Amino acid sequence: MNSAALINLYYWLSPVFLILYSSAGLDMRISIPGASPAWHYLYLGACFLLPCVLIKRPTARALFALGESSVNIFLLLYGLLNRYFQQLDALSNGMEGPGIINSTDILHFALAASVLALGFYGNPLVRTKALD
């Protein structure tokens, strides 16, 4: 299976991530610190609809994957840094703070990093430059 097919599969599975988030509260796809659930639904809807529009444009689809996964990684790192500072603040006040990272964050980071790599190396612009 090539990278374009894997990226398509990832975005076609967006409704599954939406169902997991709405029914079980599992947030494996996007981490938006302090945001209301409406932002999660909007983000997952955009991740499902935009690649459907870009299905015939592999370069645009790969660029969308690059942008989406970059935003995803940025938000994940922002959330981790925010929890780190909350932990430091709680410890300085003699209390126990929130955990910094959990298994969902690790899975989230692995998914986002994989899509970032697939979007980069599967991009037709990168492949043609590598062949030159």
Side-chain angles (χ1 to χ4, degrees):
M1 189 176 267
N2 64 8
S3 61
L6 287 172
I7 289 174
N8 283 340
L9 179 65
Y10 178 71
Y11 287 118
W12 284 110
L13 288 175
S14 291
V16 173
F17 289 111
L18 183 69
I19 290 169
L20 286 173
Y21 176 71
S22 63
S23 64
L26 291 174
D27 190 12
M28 297 185 312
R29 181 71 181 272
I30 179 78
S31 175
I32 306 173
S36 69
W39 285 105
H40 290 259
Y41 296 128
L42 181 67
Y43 188 87
L44 288 171
C47 285
F48 181 70
L49 294 176
L50 284 175
C52 291
V53 172
L54 302 173
I55 196 85
K56 298 289 183 187
R57 299 179 176 174
T59 304
R61 186 181 55 240
L63 290 174
F64 176 78
L66 280 171
E68 185 265 335
S69 57
S70 297
V71 167
N72 215 343
I73 289 174
F74 172 77
L75 289 172
L76 177 64
L77 292 175
Y78 175 75
L80 292 175
L81 186 63
N82 191 17
R83 282 182 279 189
Y84 174 73
F85 285 129
Q86 288 175 356
Q87 178 82 344
L88 287 178
D89 187 44
L91 289 173
S92 68
N93 292 325
M95 298 182 298
E96 186 176 331
I100 296 174
I101 194 164
N102 56 31
S103 58
T104 305
D105 291 330
I106 294 169
L107 178 62
H108 177 175
F109 183 75
L111 280 172
S114 299
V115 171
L116 184 67
L118 287 172
F120 181 76
Y121 290 111
N123 191 328
L125 296 174
V126 172
R127 280 187 292 169
T128 58
K129 298 279 187 205
L131 295 175
D132 290 340

